[in-house]
Amino acid sequence: MKKLTVTVSIFVILTFYLHEIAYVSSSPLLHHAKQVHEEKDSTVRNLEQDEEHGGEVHCSRERSRAARKVIEQYLTPFVERENYHFSRNCRLHPENDIFRDQEEHKVFVDRHDWRCGYCRKIFHEEKFLDQHFDNRHSNLLNVTHDNCLADLCGALHCDAFMNSKSSRTKCYPAAAAKNRHLCESLADSCFPISKGPSASRLHELFMHQFCDAHTCSGKLKPFSRGGKEQSGFFRLAAGALILVLLPVFYLFLFLVQSDMKGRTQELRRISKARWKVKPS
């Protein structure tokens, strides 16, 4: 009888404890705490995924830089001469460059040091600063529009500008036709002929400067109208030529004046000698 009573008592006690545990585990407070913990874990996982994939930019910084330099050297001088302003629909507009803001925050200290304009850190080479931008400041890139200049390299002859091996490979007519089509679309969108004389002149220049060279004939070369480098070189050469020829000109002028002065004195002596001769 005692054994039965003890067994029943133990069973009742265990049943009570199991009921309390089930009640506590199903209580709103514990459920809320568990939900908050799960939401926190989910948030942390999302942040980690954002950090892992948020900095991915599918645009070549090197080729974008080449395209930017081509525009600055072989197009911008003519655009400035015409006092022309790009529309935002033009993919050559400065604000349609994904790396533009970062490039403007590069500070060249000396031939060994580059400074980040955002956080003031110093790097010994430009490529290390580029890596720093990719790793630390990729959140500042504007990736909401089609603003990768590297995508325009085919139309702008970036390979020829960089003098890379790919510019000396076999020419494929299909690729040349594709690049010419892209080039012509840039000319039409950036310099609409209907916009006025300046746009019309720049449209023609853009076609000669970039589009006409997209052929496998090899007769036409890109940048046929020259650019900033050529004009600067010619001005420098003209200045040097003037500096060389100016002393020569003054020397020539001095010699001519000396010769004329000598002849004048000789004529005076002859005239005086004739006056002194007595008649016979």
Side-chain angles (χ1 to χ4, degrees):
M1 188 67 180
K2 291 182 179 181
K3 291 182 179 180
L4 180 61
T5 304
V6 172
T7 304
V8 172
S9 300
I10 293 173
F11 178 75
V12 171
I13 292 171
L14 288 175
T15 303
F16 176 77
Y17 276 113
L18 289 174
H19 180 268
E20 289 295 325
I21 292 173
Y23 174 78
V24 171
S25 62
S26 61
S27 65
L29 182 61
L30 183 61
H31 179 71
H32 178 70
K34 183 178 179 181
Q35 184 178 4
V36 170
H37 181 70
E38 290 177 351
E39 290 179 354
K40 183 177 181 181
D41 288 344
S42 176
T43 303
V44 170
R45 285 195 301 271
N46 291 334
L47 287 175
E48 290 176 349
Q49 291 175 357
D50 290 342
E51 290 178 356
E52 181 179 356
H53 302 289
E56 293 183 1
V57 177
H58 302 287
C59 182
S60 170
R61 184 185 293 272
E62 181 183 3
R63 292 181 68 79
S64 293
R65 183 180 296 124
R68 189 182 309 109
K69 289 182 178 179
V70 168
I71 295 170
E72 291 175 353
Q73 294 187 17
Y74 298 107
L75 182 61
T76 302
F78 302 99
V79 173
E80 291 178 347
R81 189 180 305 168
E82 293 285 349
N83 195 24
Y84 184 83
H85 300 284
F86 293 112
S87 68
R88 286 301 303 270
N89 295 328
C90 173
R91 296 180 67 182
L92 303 176
H93 193 287
E95 293 187 10
N96 290 331
D97 177 7
I98 188 174
F99 298 114
R100 174 174 173 262
D101 188 70
Q102 288 188 351
E103 291 294 321
E104 290 179 350
H105 280 79
K106 284 184 176 180
V107 181
F108 179 70
V109 181
D110 54 38
R111 64 191 183 94
H112 294 298
D113 293 325
W114 290 79
R115 178 184 292 122
C116 173
Y118 297 115
C119 60
R120 315 302 291 174
K121 288 185 178 180
I122 298 292
F123 300 88
H124 295 304
E125 292 185 35
E126 186 179 9
K127 65 178 182 179
F128 296 135
L129 178 55
D130 289 339
Q131 294 173 4
H132 170 74
F133 282 150
D134 293 335
N135 295 330
R136 297 297 182 184
H137 303 299
S138 60
N139 60 312
L140 301 175
L141 296 177
N142 181 12
V143 294
T144 58
H145 301 287
D146 187 13
N147 52 4
C148 178
L149 284 184
D151 294 341
L152 308 180
C153 266
L156 299 176
H157 303 277
C158 293
D159 292 326
F161 174 77
M162 295 187 295
N163 196 25
S164 63
K165 293 181 180 180
S166 59
S167 63
R168 296 189 291 272
T169 57
K170 183 179 179 181
C171 178
Y172 295 95
K178 180 180 178 181
N179 289 331
R180 183 179 178 89
H181 177 73
L182 175 59
C183 187
E184 290 175 348
S185 67
L186 288 174
D188 294 337
S189 61
C190 296
F191 311 107
I193 298 177
S194 59
K195 199 172 180 180
S198 294
S200 180
R201 287 191 293 268
L202 289 172
H203 186 281
E204 181 184 2
L205 177 135
F206 193 87
M207 293 294 295
H208 286 289
Q209 190 82 316
F210 300 100
C211 303
D212 290 346
H214 287 298
T215 175
C216 292
S217 64
K219 295 180 181 180
L220 300 175
K221 301 297 181 182
F223 322 130
S224 58
R225 297 293 180 89
K228 185 186 299 184
E229 287 184 346
Q230 286 81 354
S231 59
F233 172 76
F234 286 130
R235 284 196 296 268
L236 183 62
L241 186 61
I242 291 174
L243 290 176
V244 171
L245 293 179
L246 197 60
V248 175
F249 171 75
Y250 280 114
L251 178 61
F252 175 76
L253 189 62
F254 173 75
L255 293 175
V256 169
Q257 289 180 347
S258 298
D259 184 63
M260 290 180 64
K261 185 177 180 181
R263 290 186 179 184
T264 303
Q265 290 178 351
E266 179 118 7
L267 287 173
R268 287 178 180 176
R269 285 196 299 270
I270 293 173
S271 300
K272 289 180 180 181
R274 287 181 177 178
W275 280 104
K276 290 181 180 179
V277 176
K278 295 181 179 181
S280 54

